[in-house]
Amino acid sequence: LHLTKETGAATGPVLPPSLFQMCAELTKVGICCAALLCHRGMGRPVTVWCGWNHTVAFSLPASIYLVMNILTVRAARLLPPPTFQLLANTKIICTAVACRAIMGKRLSSAQWFAMVLLMVGVALGQLRGGEGSDLTPSLGAFLMLCCSCLSSLGGVCTERVLKSKGSVQLSIFATNLHMAVHTLVLNGAFMVVEGRLSGHGLPGLPRPGFFEVAALANEAMNGILISLLMKRIDSIAKNYAFSASVFVTAGLTAMVLSHRPTWTFYAGAVVTLASMWLYAKGGAVIDKAGKDA
């Protein structure tokens, strides 16, 4: 929010969302290259290239995320913030459906119910007293639902590539290097076309300060860690991590900025914790059934 000037409190350089994403991906490329060079300097084997067929597979999730980001910006301009946040939670169920359809992941009835609880918990945690949340069907609501579907599809496609045979011999830094390069190419092409159509040209890149560099590094590391989580577990675990971060962020805001959460925040946190316990318990039942079989 600070970098894209979505709030009036920002005082740093103006970075449009598309340019911010480009800068974040460039930062990710730098971090990945530095990590791979360190591995090579320590005498560890470093594999980066596994052929064109492998690297082209990363273009599909990159394309999906590009379309999703475009629609998200449009939906955010059409919907009030509470409605936007509530509709964004539908990606939790969409991701579960995509995991079942594309990855063949088995989910118990308890886990399906746990994800419904997660949607309710996060929605409660994001409610703000005194703000309307009109959920009347509209173009913005439709676009947001499309974004949820695209987010889940992109996440599952990314998980599939990360867990493919070609990615087994690659480190998480090497796979992120592939993803970041494809994102840079596609987003760069989109920015060029958008600039020509609008007649404004490409946006200028202001000189970043300390907080801008820290925010970009945080965004890049977040992407790397999320991909590691998806590679080791799955896309549903990524959603749980994101949902938990909503409450952690709110808790830090309460401590640092003396913000007093509403009762819905605490109710949402309890429901979310219950959802995590139920999902883990349901997964243990499936694992036990699989071993017995």
Side-chain angles (χ1 to χ4, degrees):
L1 290 177
H2 171 72
L3 293 179
T4 58
K5 291 282 188 177
E6 293 296 332
T7 65
T11 57
V14 178
L15 284 181
S18 56
L19 184 57
F20 170 72
Q21 187 174 8
M22 289 284 288
C23 292
E25 293 301 321
L26 283 171
T27 305
K28 186 187 296 183
V29 168
I31 293 174
C32 291
C33 289
L36 292 171
L37 288 174
C38 287
H39 284 187
R40 193 175 187 86
M42 292 186 290
R44 298 179 182 178
V46 176
T47 304
V48 177
W49 185 256
C50 295
W52 284 105
N53 289 336
H54 172 258
T55 191
V56 167
F58 288 98
S59 63
L60 176 58
S63 302
I64 293 173
Y65 282 130
L66 173 61
V67 177
M68 183 200 74
N69 290 333
I70 296 171
L71 294 181
T72 299
V73 172
R74 178 61 177 166
R77 291 172 178 171
L78 295 174
L79 294 170
T83 304
F84 180 87
Q85 291 173 335
L86 290 174
L87 289 175
N89 295 326
T90 57
K91 70 179 179 181
I92 295 171
I93 290 295
C94 291
T95 300
V97 173
C99 282
R100 183 73 181 93
I102 299 175
M103 303 290 291
K105 183 177 179 62
R106 292 178 56 198
L107 295 171
S108 66
S109 56
Q111 288 179 307
W112 284 106
F113 181 64
M115 282 179 285
V116 173
L117 280 182
L118 181 62
M119 288 179 59
V120 174
V122 176
L124 282 173
Q126 292 177 335
L127 285 178
R128 296 290 182 269
E131 295 183 9
S133 56
D134 182 16
L135 292 179
T136 302
S138 64
L139 176 60
F142 174 74
L143 290 177
M144 201 60 219
L145 291 175
C146 290
C147 289
S148 293
C149 294
L150 289 172
S151 174
S152 60
L153 182 61
V156 174
C157 288
T158 301
E159 178 187 345
R160 188 172 185 176
V161 177
L162 290 173
K163 293 180 177 178
S164 65
K165 293 182 180 179
S167 297
V168 171
Q169 56 184 320
L170 300 183
S171 68
I172 197 64
F173 295 106
T175 52
N176 270 275
L177 185 60
H178 283 272
M179 287 192 291
V181 169
H182 282 284
T183 302
L184 284 171
V185 171
L186 290 172
N187 280 20
F190 171 74
M191 288 177 62
V192 170
V193 173
E194 184 182 39
R196 286 185 176 276
L197 292 177
S198 64
H200 296 149
L202 294 175
L205 181 62
R207 183 178 180 180
F210 172 78
F211 290 107
E212 287 71 42
V213 172
L216 290 171
N218 176 75
E219 184 73 14
M221 286 303 302
N222 179 67
I224 294 172
L225 292 175
I226 286 295
S227 65
L228 179 61
L229 185 63
M230 293 168 64
K231 185 174 184 178
R232 297 291 177 87
I233 309 179
D234 56 30
S235 299
I236 297 175
K238 177 199 71 172
N239 282 339
Y240 269 96
F242 175 78
S243 300
S245 71
V246 171
F247 296 98
V248 173
T249 301
L252 291 174
T253 302
M255 291 187 295
V256 177
L257 302 178
S258 300
H259 171 72
R260 186 181 296 276
T262 63
W263 69 269
T264 56
F265 169 80
Y266 296 105
V270 171
V271 173
T272 299
L273 288 174
S275 170
M276 291 179 177
W277 174 80
L278 188 60
Y279 184 85
K281 185 178 180 181
V285 171
I286 288 184
D287 291 340
K288 183 178 180 181
K291 291 179 181 179
D292 292 340

